[in-house]
Amino acid sequence: MSTSETPLPTRLVSSTSQTVPIVRHAIGGIASGFTASVRATAFWVAALLPLSYLPLLATGFAGEHALAFLGLLAVNAVGIAVGSGHRTD
């Protein structure tokens, strides 16, 4: 039986320094996918929400529920701001 200590394998030591970039890359991919989804949704909300304005104005909903109509306008403004960076490619 030998009394000498065996050193730790260098592979185990270097694997932790290689794990950090892999995790960062994975988190970056998830974040960019989430950002693209939010931008696409905001773009389509901004594009399609104005189609509801004319019926709401024609039926008098906008006059009776002015705060709700202003809320729709605010949602549209946020959709324009957030969805402006959406690309289909």
Side-chain angles (χ1 to χ4, degrees):
M1 183 168 188
S2 124
T3 59
S4 66
E5 294 183 22
T6 57
L8 288 174
T10 57
R11 188 172 135 190
L12 289 177
V13 175
S14 66
S15 69
T16 56
S17 64
Q18 293 173 353
T19 303
V20 174
I22 293 170
V23 171
R24 284 184 185 160
H25 180 68
I27 291 173
I30 292 168
S32 67
F34 178 73
T35 303
S37 297
V38 169
R39 281 190 178 156
T41 302
F43 172 82
W44 286 108
V45 165
L48 298 176
L49 190 61
L51 297 175
S52 67
Y53 294 165
L54 188 58
L56 293 176
L57 290 170
T59 59
F61 177 84
E64 295 173 12
H65 306 285
L67 190 60
F69 188 71
L70 289 175
L72 285 176
L73 291 175
V75 168
N76 193 23
V78 170
I80 291 170
V82 173
S84 65
H86 173 62
R87 293 177 173 239
T88 57
D89 52 320

